[in-house]
Each structure stands twice: as C-alpha cells, then as structure tokens.
Amino acid sequence: IDLPAHLWLATSGTTGALKLTALTKQAMLSPAPAVNRHLAADARDVWCCVLPEFHVGGLGIFARAFLSGSPVMRAEWDARAFAMNEEMTLASLVPAQVSDLVQLRLSAPQKLRAVVIGGGVLADALYEEARALGWPLLPSYGMTETCSQVATATLASAELVMLDHIEARTEPDGRLAFRSAALLTGYATEHGFVDPKDS
C-alpha cells in the first residue's frame, strides 16, 4: 500500500485479524486544539506520558503538547513514581493504571490538574475511589480511527462532552457516524486497503 506521509497504528479495539489504521499528520494534529481548549492547556503545563507512543493515546499527548508549547515528560509506568511526580500538570491513563493507583491508596500530586482516561470504560466505583484520593480524572471516549478523543468529561461531572472538532450522529441501526478532519484514511487488512468512510 503506497500511502506517503501516514502513520500506521494498530487499534486497541481490534478483534480478530490484524487491522492497521492509516492516519495522516494533519489528522493526528486536528483534535489537539479542541482537547487543549477543553483542558485549558497551555505552555505552562507539563504533560506526563506513561502510555506507549505507538498507541493513539500516547501519540495524542505529543500532538497536544506540540501545539500548546508544553513539555512532555516520558516515563515507564510505575504507580508510586507517577504519584510522586511533582512536575506534571496533565496526563493520560488507561483504567488499569487508575486501578493500580487506587489499590495502592496513592494520592494525586498537588500540581496535577487533569488526567484524561481512555482505552476502555472506567467503572463508576473506580472513578469514585480515585476521585476520593484526589485524582482529577476526566473519562473520555475516542478511537484510533478518530485520532484519539471524541468526547471528554469535565472535573465537575463524569458525563462526556462532545469536543468541538467533530460532528456526530446516530444512524438508524444504532451506529455512531462521525465527521471530522481527524478521521482515518483507511485500514490495511489481510484483504487489502479498505476505506470505511465510503460505506
């Protein structure tokens, strides 16, 4: 498949045969201003990246930081070290990492303003336990195919808020349909290249 200037990322939601998602640089950058606005992120913030950079959740941090002028601290996941990080103001985690923090009864560092939670559903009980420990969690919904976040909660409520870079509607069969500059170019599958936007 000849697609210059594309990133190829596996989707975390992929089941069955391997499917790689083709994303342009422009698509990866397009949600970043909306996320930065939602988080009120600017150059004074410090992102901590403990997600893999070959995953859209980790890569999205660098897109946001690039546009806001924020530095990024890279680190391997270590719950205790993460909770002791007194420099970070913003981060992204998956529910399993939140579970680690809660199980160890670790409190959030003082400068941390927001933690976007993606990569899966965050259970209500886990959310409440983490918030009680001071973790400023923002559950989110997104996909590799939309270059990360589609909707994200606020600190006031766990209810998801649609971000302003994307339009969405529910199809008659119950599927969600999206329109955005953040959409994938297509998939590489064992049967060749597929553009799901054509269907």
Side-chain angles (χ1 to χ4, degrees):
I1 300 168
D2 184 20
L3 280 179
H6 276 73
L7 300 168
W8 293 91
L9 300 180
T11 71
S12 59
T14 297
T15 56
L18 177 65
K19 183 167 61 175
L20 297 175
T21 307
L23 305 169
T24 65
K25 178 181 177 181
Q26 292 77 17
M28 274 303 308
L29 288 172
S30 69
V35 177
N36 283 342
R37 284 190 295 273
H38 189 76
L39 300 176
D42 60 31
R44 293 169 293 182
D45 282 301
V46 176
W47 278 94
C48 183
C49 182
V50 291
L51 298 176
E53 296 164 31
F54 57 80
H55 185 274
V56 73
L59 198 55
I61 290 173
F62 289 89
R64 294 168 218 144
F66 172 73
L67 293 182
S68 67
S70 308
V72 179
M73 306 172 68
R74 293 183 177 103
E76 294 296 319
W77 176 244
D78 178 306
R80 293 187 190 279
F82 184 77
M84 293 174 62
N85 186 329
E86 295 295 340
E87 298 302 317
M88 66 176 172
T89 62
L90 297 169
S92 289
L93 299 177
V94 297
Q97 292 168 317
V98 178
S99 180
D100 291 345
L101 296 169
V102 168
Q103 286 180 8
L104 293 169
R105 309 306 299 167
L106 298 171
S107 298
Q110 289 189 347
K111 288 186 180 179
L112 186 61
R113 297 197 301 106
V115 182
V116 178
I117 308 301
V121 176
L122 182 66
D124 292 344
L126 185 57
Y127 170 81
E128 295 296 342
E129 287 184 84
R131 287 301 299 262
L133 289 167
W135 292 98
L137 304 187
L138 304 180
S140 72
Y141 170 76
M143 299 178 291
T144 303
E145 293 84 348
T146 58
C147 295
S148 193
Q149 290 161 255
V150 168
T152 304
T154 67
L155 289 177
S157 168
E159 185 174 341
L160 298 180
V161 177
M162 186 72 66
L163 299 180
D164 61 19
H165 72 287
I166 198 160
E167 297 174 40
R169 70 169 186 264
T170 303
E171 297 287 277
D173 62 4
R175 291 182 300 164
L176 289 174
F178 298 113
R179 176 183 293 158
S180 173
L183 295 182
L184 77 165
T185 301
Y187 295 116
T189 73
E190 59 184 17
H191 303 296
F193 185 76
V194 177
D195 184 353
K197 303 187 300 300
D198 291 338
S199 58

